[in-house]
Amino acid sequence: MLTIAIRAARSAGNQILRAVDSVGQLQIDQKGKNDYASEVDRQAESEIIRIISKAYPNHGFLAEESGRQNSDSDYIWVIDPLDGTTNFLHGFPQFAVSIALKNKGVLEVGVVYDPQRDELFTAERGGGAMLNNRRIRVTRQTSLTGSLLGTGFPFKKQQHLEPYLGMFRALFIDSAGIRRAGAAALDLAYVASGRLDGFWEIGLHEWDMAAGVLLIKEAGGVVTDFSFKDKFLESGNLIAGNPKMHQLIYQAIEPHVTDSLK
Ligand code: IPD
Ligand code: CA
Ligand code: CA
């Protein structure tokens, strides 16, 4: 199943790459506040579903652009065909394909593919996490001092701006830097591969997170929601890092967590 996920991610990634030079001519729809999708998002998603369905005709899907299909199946593929659409539409080179597989709710396979750098992040439950077939690990960082963190701004859910800014301030003061690169699936892959010491974001969707979460767990990291529990796929609020960094980020943001973020 990992092989099929990789085939689908690479094929969609190549489609996206071919469209990079013509973003100005794309048809773009606005789905909500600051939320856009182009024909490239939809074509990449169809390609992924076509490849997976051919191999596994009875499996189900939760995909960003087409929603749920065959939800009764034990196997559900969770797909973000183009994570970082805003970046892509502006020619800002940070976006990826994210594909995960759940079996009875348990994450089994995760693939995040950055077509521009040809970086393929893969994980299988119990099998570790890899970048281009080399084993990756979370960092050994044990303090906020000197750490490099990633985050996402709550640009679609601006009601959370004030608590977010409180969290940002708390982490900004102690860390060496905070990056907002604009593609959550890649942010999580960067935590898994030790490029970031930790990450937090409010208001993600399951398809943004599923593959990256398995990558982090298989790379020795910890992921929770803002209540230190594992309901992040439901709430969309997520903290990630190695065990120590995860705890430090949790402690810094906890005073700013409002009831609606728990
Ligand atoms: C978005 C990106 C972004 C995150 C947003 C996501 P999309 O995904 O991952 O980094 O901050 O919350 O929705 O819409 O580009 O697939
Ligand atoms: Ca996304
Ligand atoms: Ca997307």
Side-chain angles (χ1 to χ4, degrees), residues 35 64 80 82-86 152-153 155-156 180 182-184 201 203-204 208:
D35 194 4
E64 179 171 12
D80 190 339
L82 173 46
D83 183 53
T85 294
T86 303
F153 302 142
F155 64 108
K156 293 176 195 164
R180 194 300 187 243
E201 184 160 348
L204 289 169
D208 303 314

Side-chain angles (χ1 to χ4, degrees), residues 157-179:
K157 297 193 170 173
Q158 295 185 0
Q159 69 272 27
H160 298 308
L161 184 59
E162 283 312 313
Y164 177 78
L165 290 176
M167 298 171 187
F168 186 89
R169 187 176 292 108
L171 289 162
F172 174 80
I173 289 169
D174 287 332
S175 63
I178 300 180
R179 300 288 177 266

